[in-house]
mmCIF file of all heavy atoms in Angstrom:
data_model
loop_
_atom_site.group_PDB
_atom_site.id
_atom_site.type_symbol
_atom_site.label_atom_id
_atom_site.label_comp_id
_atom_site.label_asym_id
_atom_site.label_seq_id
_atom_site.Cartn_x
_atom_site.Cartn_y
_atom_site.Cartn_z
ATOM 1 N N LEU A 95 -67.031 -43.946 -22.858
ATOM 2 C CA LEU A 95 -68.064 -43.634 -21.821
ATOM 3 C C LEU A 95 -69.421 -43.466 -22.537
ATOM 4 O O LEU A 95 -69.669 -42.492 -23.186
ATOM 5 C CB LEU A 95 -67.666 -42.354 -21.065
ATOM 6 C CG LEU A 95 -66.241 -42.365 -20.521
ATOM 7 C CD1 LEU A 95 -65.901 -41.021 -19.929
ATOM 8 C CD2 LEU A 95 -66.054 -43.457 -19.494
ATOM 9 N N LEU A 96 -70.268 -44.423 -22.314
ATOM 10 C CA LEU A 96 -71.652 -44.464 -22.870
ATOM 11 C C LEU A 96 -72.616 -44.817 -21.752
ATOM 12 O O LEU A 96 -72.245 -45.416 -20.739
ATOM 13 C CB LEU A 96 -71.756 -45.466 -24.000
ATOM 14 C CG LEU A 96 -71.011 -45.138 -25.283
ATOM 15 C CD1 LEU A 96 -70.760 -46.373 -26.068
ATOM 16 C CD2 LEU A 96 -71.850 -44.184 -26.123
ATOM 17 N N HIS A 97 -73.924 -44.509 -21.959
ATOM 18 C CA HIS A 97 -74.945 -44.942 -21.044
ATOM 19 C C HIS A 97 -75.183 -46.416 -21.184
ATOM 20 O O HIS A 97 -74.970 -47.040 -22.234
ATOM 21 C CB HIS A 97 -76.247 -44.182 -21.343
ATOM 22 C CG HIS A 97 -76.218 -42.741 -20.965
ATOM 23 N ND1 HIS A 97 -76.258 -42.311 -19.686
ATOM 24 C CD2 HIS A 97 -76.084 -41.690 -21.741
ATOM 25 C CE1 HIS A 97 -76.218 -40.986 -19.659
ATOM 26 N NE2 HIS A 97 -76.095 -40.555 -20.898
ATOM 27 N N GLU A 98 -75.599 -47.065 -20.096
ATOM 28 C CA GLU A 98 -75.795 -48.493 -20.079
ATOM 29 C C GLU A 98 -76.765 -48.968 -21.154
ATOM 30 O O GLU A 98 -76.586 -49.995 -21.790
ATOM 31 C CB GLU A 98 -76.335 -48.939 -18.691
ATOM 32 C CG GLU A 98 -76.342 -50.419 -18.459
ATOM 33 C CD GLU A 98 -76.764 -50.812 -17.070
ATOM 34 O OE1 GLU A 98 -76.863 -49.924 -16.201
ATOM 35 O OE2 GLU A 98 -77.015 -51.998 -16.840
ATOM 36 N N ARG A 99 -77.818 -48.173 -21.389
ATOM 37 C CA ARG A 99 -78.798 -48.480 -22.423
ATOM 38 C C ARG A 99 -78.159 -48.550 -23.786
ATOM 39 O O ARG A 99 -78.433 -49.428 -24.582
ATOM 40 C CB ARG A 99 -79.913 -47.408 -22.427
ATOM 41 C CG ARG A 99 -81.276 -47.905 -22.675
ATOM 42 C CD ARG A 99 -82.316 -46.776 -22.475
ATOM 43 N NE ARG A 99 -81.803 -45.825 -21.485
ATOM 44 C CZ ARG A 99 -81.756 -44.508 -21.557
ATOM 45 N NH1 ARG A 99 -82.191 -43.924 -22.461
ATOM 46 N NH2 ARG A 99 -81.230 -43.745 -20.659
ATOM 47 N N GLU A 100 -77.303 -47.538 -24.056
ATOM 48 C CA GLU A 100 -76.615 -47.507 -25.341
ATOM 49 C C GLU A 100 -75.669 -48.680 -25.542
ATOM 50 O O GLU A 100 -75.600 -49.306 -26.614
ATOM 51 C CB GLU A 100 -75.777 -46.200 -25.490
ATOM 52 C CG GLU A 100 -76.672 -44.958 -25.641
ATOM 53 C CD GLU A 100 -75.890 -43.646 -25.584
ATOM 54 O OE1 GLU A 100 -74.882 -43.594 -24.858
ATOM 55 O OE2 GLU A 100 -76.279 -42.745 -26.341
ATOM 56 N N ILE A 101 -74.956 -49.012 -24.438
ATOM 57 C CA ILE A 101 -74.073 -50.187 -24.477
ATOM 58 C C ILE A 101 -74.827 -51.456 -24.791
ATOM 59 O O ILE A 101 -74.412 -52.259 -25.607
ATOM 60 C CB ILE A 101 -73.258 -50.318 -23.172
ATOM 61 C CG1 ILE A 101 -72.299 -49.097 -23.005
ATOM 62 C CG2 ILE A 101 -72.456 -51.617 -23.134
ATOM 63 C CD1 ILE A 101 -71.629 -49.015 -21.677
ATOM 64 N N ASN A 102 -75.985 -51.620 -24.160
ATOM 65 C CA ASN A 102 -76.793 -52.798 -24.411
ATOM 66 C C ASN A 102 -77.293 -52.892 -25.875
ATOM 67 O O ASN A 102 -77.301 -53.942 -26.491
ATOM 68 C CB ASN A 102 -78.008 -52.853 -23.464
ATOM 69 C CG ASN A 102 -77.560 -53.114 -22.044
ATOM 70 O OD1 ASN A 102 -76.493 -53.663 -21.776
ATOM 71 N ND2 ASN A 102 -78.398 -52.697 -21.088
ATOM 72 N N LYS A 103 -77.686 -51.727 -26.434
ATOM 73 C CA LYS A 103 -78.077 -51.691 -27.823
ATOM 74 C C LYS A 103 -76.934 -52.063 -28.756
ATOM 75 O O LYS A 103 -77.085 -52.864 -29.669
ATOM 76 C CB LYS A 103 -78.522 -50.266 -28.234
ATOM 77 C CG LYS A 103 -79.943 -49.897 -27.876
ATOM 78 C CD LYS A 103 -80.291 -48.531 -28.370
ATOM 79 C CE LYS A 103 -81.591 -48.018 -27.849
ATOM 80 N NZ LYS A 103 -81.829 -46.621 -28.207
ATOM 81 N N LEU A 104 -75.779 -51.517 -28.457
ATOM 82 C CA LEU A 104 -74.566 -51.791 -29.300
ATOM 83 C C LEU A 104 -74.204 -53.280 -29.216
ATOM 84 O O LEU A 104 -73.936 -53.919 -30.220
ATOM 85 C CB LEU A 104 -73.380 -50.913 -28.855
ATOM 86 C CG LEU A 104 -73.499 -49.434 -29.071
ATOM 87 C CD1 LEU A 104 -72.307 -48.705 -28.466
ATOM 88 C CD2 LEU A 104 -73.634 -49.084 -30.548
ATOM 89 N N HIS A 105 -74.219 -53.817 -27.990
ATOM 90 C CA HIS A 105 -73.904 -55.236 -27.776
ATOM 91 C C HIS A 105 -74.853 -56.123 -28.543
ATOM 92 O O HIS A 105 -74.422 -57.052 -29.203
ATOM 93 C CB HIS A 105 -73.937 -55.591 -26.277
ATOM 94 C CG HIS A 105 -73.543 -56.956 -25.976
ATOM 95 N ND1 HIS A 105 -72.293 -57.450 -26.168
ATOM 96 C CD2 HIS A 105 -74.281 -58.028 -25.514
ATOM 97 C CE1 HIS A 105 -72.270 -58.726 -25.857
ATOM 98 N NE2 HIS A 105 -73.470 -59.076 -25.454
ATOM 99 N N GLY A 106 -76.127 -55.831 -28.512
ATOM 100 C CA GLY A 106 -77.148 -56.602 -29.225
ATOM 101 C C GLY A 106 -76.957 -56.579 -30.683
ATOM 102 O O GLY A 106 -76.990 -57.591 -31.395
ATOM 103 N N ALA A 107 -76.702 -55.407 -31.262
ATOM 104 C CA ALA A 107 -76.516 -55.242 -32.687
ATOM 105 C C ALA A 107 -75.277 -55.948 -33.184
ATOM 106 O O ALA A 107 -75.276 -56.590 -34.228
ATOM 107 C CB ALA A 107 -76.435 -53.753 -33.083
ATOM 108 N N VAL A 108 -74.179 -55.845 -32.433
ATOM 109 C CA VAL A 108 -72.920 -56.492 -32.833
ATOM 110 C C VAL A 108 -73.081 -58.008 -32.743
ATOM 111 O O VAL A 108 -72.617 -58.770 -33.631
ATOM 112 C CB VAL A 108 -71.732 -56.028 -31.944
ATOM 113 C CG1 VAL A 108 -70.510 -56.882 -32.136
ATOM 114 C CG2 VAL A 108 -71.402 -54.565 -32.243
ATOM 115 N N ALA A 109 -73.722 -58.521 -31.686
ATOM 116 C CA ALA A 109 -73.882 -59.984 -31.503
ATOM 117 C C ALA A 109 -74.840 -60.577 -32.484
ATOM 118 O O ALA A 109 -74.542 -61.606 -33.112
ATOM 119 C CB ALA A 109 -74.334 -60.241 -30.084
ATOM 120 N N ARG A 110 -76.037 -59.987 -32.673
ATOM 121 C CA ARG A 110 -77.067 -60.575 -33.496
ATOM 122 C C ARG A 110 -76.890 -60.284 -34.977
ATOM 123 O O ARG A 110 -76.959 -61.172 -35.780
ATOM 124 C CB ARG A 110 -78.443 -60.083 -33.045
ATOM 125 C CG ARG A 110 -79.007 -60.753 -31.844
ATOM 126 C CD ARG A 110 -80.449 -60.424 -31.681
ATOM 127 N NE ARG A 110 -80.718 -58.971 -31.608
ATOM 128 C CZ ARG A 110 -80.585 -58.213 -30.548
ATOM 129 N NH1 ARG A 110 -80.232 -58.778 -29.411
ATOM 130 N NH2 ARG A 110 -80.856 -56.950 -30.573
ATOM 131 N N GLU A 111 -76.708 -59.002 -35.334
ATOM 132 C CA GLU A 111 -76.812 -58.613 -36.708
ATOM 133 C C GLU A 111 -75.457 -58.551 -37.447
ATOM 134 O O GLU A 111 -75.433 -58.155 -38.588
ATOM 135 C CB GLU A 111 -77.482 -57.247 -36.820
ATOM 136 C CG GLU A 111 -78.880 -57.268 -36.177
ATOM 137 C CD GLU A 111 -79.369 -55.861 -35.861
ATOM 138 O OE1 GLU A 111 -78.989 -54.900 -36.515
ATOM 139 O OE2 GLU A 111 -80.154 -55.745 -34.910
ATOM 140 N N GLY A 112 -74.385 -58.884 -36.757
ATOM 141 C CA GLY A 112 -73.057 -58.855 -37.436
ATOM 142 C C GLY A 112 -72.599 -57.463 -37.784
ATOM 143 O O GLY A 112 -71.902 -57.262 -38.741
ATOM 144 N N MET A 113 -72.970 -56.464 -36.960
ATOM 145 C CA MET A 113 -72.579 -55.086 -37.186
ATOM 146 C C MET A 113 -71.188 -54.873 -36.551
ATOM 147 O O MET A 113 -70.721 -55.654 -35.766
ATOM 148 C CB MET A 113 -73.577 -54.118 -36.616
ATOM 149 C CG MET A 113 -74.995 -54.328 -37.039
ATOM 150 S SD MET A 113 -75.416 -53.612 -38.601
ATOM 151 C CE MET A 113 -75.882 -51.994 -38.181
ATOM 152 N N THR A 114 -70.563 -53.763 -36.936
ATOM 153 C CA THR A 114 -69.239 -53.409 -36.422
ATOM 154 C C THR A 114 -69.288 -52.011 -35.771
ATOM 155 O O THR A 114 -70.046 -51.168 -36.249
ATOM 156 C CB THR A 114 -68.198 -53.361 -37.574
ATOM 157 O OG1 THR A 114 -68.332 -54.564 -38.344
ATOM 158 C CG2 THR A 114 -66.817 -53.249 -37.078
ATOM 159 N N LEU A 115 -68.488 -51.789 -34.740
ATOM 160 C CA LEU A 115 -68.408 -50.439 -34.134
ATOM 161 C C LEU A 115 -67.171 -49.732 -34.720
ATOM 162 O O LEU A 115 -66.076 -50.193 -34.510
ATOM 163 C CB LEU A 115 -68.286 -50.574 -32.622
ATOM 164 C CG LEU A 115 -69.528 -51.004 -31.920
ATOM 165 C CD1 LEU A 115 -69.242 -51.226 -30.426
ATOM 166 C CD2 LEU A 115 -70.633 -49.995 -32.046
ATOM 167 N N VAL A 116 -67.405 -48.691 -35.472
ATOM 168 C CA VAL A 116 -66.320 -47.992 -36.141
ATOM 169 C C VAL A 116 -66.248 -46.546 -35.639
ATOM 170 O O VAL A 116 -67.266 -45.821 -35.706
ATOM 171 C CB VAL A 116 -66.593 -47.951 -37.691
ATOM 172 C CG1 VAL A 116 -65.439 -47.285 -38.407
ATOM 173 C CG2 VAL A 116 -66.834 -49.315 -38.207
ATOM 174 N N PRO A 117 -65.086 -46.094 -35.169
ATOM 175 C CA PRO A 117 -64.933 -44.692 -34.796
ATOM 176 C C PRO A 117 -64.802 -43.797 -36.050
ATOM 177 O O PRO A 117 -63.990 -44.117 -36.929
ATOM 178 C CB PRO A 117 -63.661 -44.659 -33.932
ATOM 179 C CG PRO A 117 -62.908 -45.859 -34.364
ATOM 180 C CD PRO A 117 -63.897 -46.876 -34.868
ATOM 181 N N LEU A 118 -65.614 -42.765 -36.151
ATOM 182 C CA LEU A 118 -65.596 -41.881 -37.314
ATOM 183 C C LEU A 118 -64.665 -40.705 -37.073
ATOM 184 O O LEU A 118 -63.974 -40.285 -37.976
ATOM 185 C CB LEU A 118 -67.002 -41.377 -37.652
ATOM 186 C CG LEU A 118 -68.011 -42.456 -38.015
ATOM 187 C CD1 LEU A 118 -69.402 -41.803 -38.265
ATOM 188 C CD2 LEU A 118 -67.582 -43.189 -39.265
ATOM 189 N N SER A 119 -64.700 -40.121 -35.865
ATOM 190 C CA SER A 119 -63.806 -38.988 -35.568
ATOM 191 C C SER A 119 -63.621 -38.854 -34.057
ATOM 192 O O SER A 119 -64.416 -39.306 -33.297
ATOM 193 C CB SER A 119 -64.364 -37.724 -36.155
ATOM 194 O OG SER A 119 -65.599 -37.360 -35.493
ATOM 195 N N VAL A 120 -62.478 -38.146 -33.717
ATOM 196 C CA VAL A 120 -62.193 -37.785 -32.328
ATOM 197 C C VAL A 120 -62.106 -36.293 -32.350
ATOM 198 O O VAL A 120 -61.473 -35.693 -33.224
ATOM 199 C CB VAL A 120 -60.815 -38.371 -31.871
ATOM 200 C CG1 VAL A 120 -60.470 -37.832 -30.505
ATOM 201 C CG2 VAL A 120 -60.846 -39.842 -31.890
ATOM 202 N N TYR A 121 -62.816 -35.619 -31.432
ATOM 203 C CA TYR A 121 -62.897 -34.190 -31.402
ATOM 204 C C TYR A 121 -63.081 -33.662 -30.018
ATOM 205 O O TYR A 121 -63.384 -34.434 -29.081
ATOM 206 C CB TYR A 121 -64.013 -33.720 -32.319
ATOM 207 C CG TYR A 121 -65.386 -34.181 -31.910
ATOM 208 C CD1 TYR A 121 -66.168 -33.422 -31.065
ATOM 209 C CD2 TYR A 121 -65.904 -35.376 -32.345
ATOM 210 C CE1 TYR A 121 -67.419 -33.887 -30.622
ATOM 211 C CE2 TYR A 121 -67.131 -35.819 -31.999
ATOM 212 C CZ TYR A 121 -67.892 -35.078 -31.126
ATOM 213 O OH TYR A 121 -69.121 -35.528 -30.762
#
Side-chain angles (χ1 to χ4, degrees):
L95 310 172
L96 289 157
H97 289 284
E98 191 177 348
R99 216 172 333 131
E100 290 174 324
I101 294 172
N102 291 337
K103 276 184 192 173
L104 294 175
H105 182 66
V108 169
R110 280 192 306 276
E111 302 160 30
M113 308 276 273
T114 312
L115 290 174
V116 183
L118 299 177
S119 65
V120 174
Y121 60 91

